[in-house]
Amino acid sequence: MKKYALLLALFSGVCFAKPQVYFGADALSNSSAYSLQSGFYFPVNQELDFGYELDFTQWNQNVHSFGINIKPAFRKQQFYLAPIVGMH
């Protein structure tokens, strides 16, 4: 499992992206926790993208969650702020 956690840590964040479609993976704080996301985003204007994603999170061997998130991204030059609101 530690090999998978290391692999997820190396590719944390968006690991595959196309215009309007993305897949991502995150390694969480302990060695057996990880999260996988798949979603769509829609460019609204130069400063705002609006998206939604499906999320699977494995917290430990016995606890996991499935959820859907709404994720707007507010862009300023090379940086962005993307708050996430969801239900799991």
Side-chain angles (χ1 to χ4, degrees), residues 3 8 11-12 14 25 33-35 39-40 42 45 48-49 58-59 61 66 70 74 79 83 88:
K3 291 179 186 177
L8 288 173
F11 294 103
S12 181
V14 176
Y34 63 91
S35 180
F40 296 92
F42 305 96
N45 59 38
L48 175 65
D49 291 341
Q58 179 77 36
W59 296 101
Q61 288 184 340
F66 292 95
I70 297 170
F74 302 97
F79 300 99
H88 288 250

Side-chain angles (χ1 to χ4, degrees), residues 3-83:
K3 291 179 186 177
Y4 294 118
L6 178 60
L7 182 65
L8 288 173
L10 292 174
F11 294 103
S12 181
V14 176
C15 60
F16 176 73
K18 286 184 176 181
Q20 300 184 350
V21 176
Y22 66 90
F23 299 98
D26 294 312
L28 303 177
S29 61
N30 65 24
S31 63
S32 64
Y34 63 91
S35 180
L36 303 172
Q37 307 91 25
S38 175
F40 296 92
Y41 70 92
F42 305 96
V44 176
N45 59 38
Q46 289 279 28
E47 297 180 350
L48 175 65
D49 291 341
F50 183 79
Y52 62 92
E53 67 183 14
L54 297 174
D55 183 292
F56 170 78
T57 301
Q58 179 77 36
W59 296 101
N60 60 40
Q61 288 184 340
N62 299 322
V63 180
H64 62 273
S65 69
F66 292 95
I68 186 166
N69 300 322
I70 297 170
K71 190 175 179 179
F74 302 97
R75 301 187 180 281
K76 289 288 184 185
Q77 297 174 353
Q78 297 178 350
F79 300 99
Y80 68 92
L81 175 66

